[in-house]
Every structure is written in structure tokens, then in C-alpha cells.
Amino acid sequence: MRSEALSYAGLEEPHFLEACTLCSKPLGQNSDIFMYRGNTPFCSQECRQEQIENDEARERRWKVSSKKSKETSKKSATVQTGTLVASN
């Protein structure tokens, strides 16, 4: 239904193999297409490798921030007990 609405409006939804995901360079009919994670196309090994490195860096940052978040929640969950003395 969505593509029919776009066609009616004069807009065509691009096919996922028309352009490189990273640099948006058009992918030629007779050129190699480098795929990553299922259906993500790239025009070259270099663009594909750059995306892999970007994803790995993002995953490392997520793991570090997730670890810090767990440590912070453990610290804030610590309860101190003791006696409080108040005088007037």
C-alpha cells in the first residue's frame, strides 16, 4: 500500500540496492556490490569496512556505558544504616 501511495504521488521508493549505504554512490548494474549484515549494500570494500568499524565502535561505547550504568545503579542502591541524633 505504501509504495502504491508513493507511486501515485509521483515519488518512487528507491530499491535498497540502488546506492551505497555509506556514501550514497549509485550502484552500477554490472559492478560488484558488497553486502553487510544481511541487506546493507556498499559500493566498495572500503565503504563496507568503514561501516563495520563504525558499528564495532558504537557497540564498544554501548557496552562501556551499559557497564557504567550498572555500576552506578549498584552504588545508588547501597543503603547506609546507623543512628541519627537530633537535638533542639
Side-chain angles (χ1 to χ4, degrees):
M1 177 75 181
R2 182 178 176 194
S3 61
E4 291 173 4
L6 290 173
S7 293
Y8 180 75
L11 302 172
E12 286 294 323
E13 198 172 293
H15 189 271
F16 81 100
L17 291 176
E18 285 185 359
C20 176
T21 300
L22 190 67
C23 71
S24 300
K25 177 181 172 184
L27 300 174
Q29 296 291 349
N30 294 325
S31 64
D32 289 337
I33 298 175
F34 300 86
M35 302 299 289
Y36 172 61
R37 290 196 173 180
N39 61 353
T40 308
F42 297 91
C43 65
S44 66
Q45 289 179 336
E46 292 80 14
C47 279
R48 181 179 178 271
Q49 186 60 38
E50 186 174 336
Q51 184 64 51
I52 290 170
E53 291 169 5
N54 290 342
D55 288 351
E56 289 173 350
R58 184 180 314 115
E59 289 170 10
R60 282 191 300 273
R61 284 192 307 271
W62 181 82
K63 286 179 183 177
V64 168
S65 68
S66 177
K67 186 176 178 180
K68 285 182 181 178
S69 174
K70 287 179 184 178
E71 290 173 359
T72 303
S73 65
K74 285 180 183 179
K75 288 178 183 177
S76 64
T78 304
V79 177
Q80 294 182 348
T81 59
T83 305
L84 177 64
V85 178
S87 63
N88 288 340

